Amino acid sequence: GTRYIHAKRIDMNRDIVEGNWKQLKGKTQARWGMLIGDYLRVSTGRRTQFAGERQSAYGVIRASSLRAAMRIR
């Protein structure tokens, strides 16, 4: 599918979707850990969230490079 952010077209790929999911999962884990006082869970959640941010960024870069390659052809 296609998603519009700030009137800019972004092609969604699997990396972007999975990265967004990891970010949500990590944020939820971290907040739950803070609520119950489990700081290992907070740390794990933040690490998961960071991994999701990196995966989403990779997906955006990959999508833009594929678009650029298609324009060159």
Side-chain angles (χ1 to χ4, degrees), residues 1-68:
T2 303
R3 187 171 157 189
Y4 291 89
I5 298 176
H6 302 291
K8 187 178 194 182
R9 185 169 174 245
I10 296 179
D11 294 323
M12 296 294 282
N13 63 28
R14 188 173 190 95
D15 289 312
I16 296 171
V17 173
E18 287 180 4
N20 288 342
W21 175 250
K22 281 183 185 177
Q23 287 180 57
L24 178 64
K25 181 180 170 184
K27 187 177 277 191
T28 304
Q29 282 178 337
R31 287 189 180 183
W32 180 253
M34 290 292 279
L35 183 66
I36 64 173
D38 183 355
Y39 295 102
L40 180 61
R41 190 176 305 238
V42 172
S43 177
T44 302
R46 288 182 179 160
R47 189 175 59 231
T48 302
Q49 186 177 0
F50 179 72
E53 289 170 5
R54 297 297 92 209
Q55 187 171 5
S56 292
Y58 170 76
V60 170
I61 291 168
R62 184 173 166 214
S64 67
S65 64
L66 287 174
R67 278 194 308 272

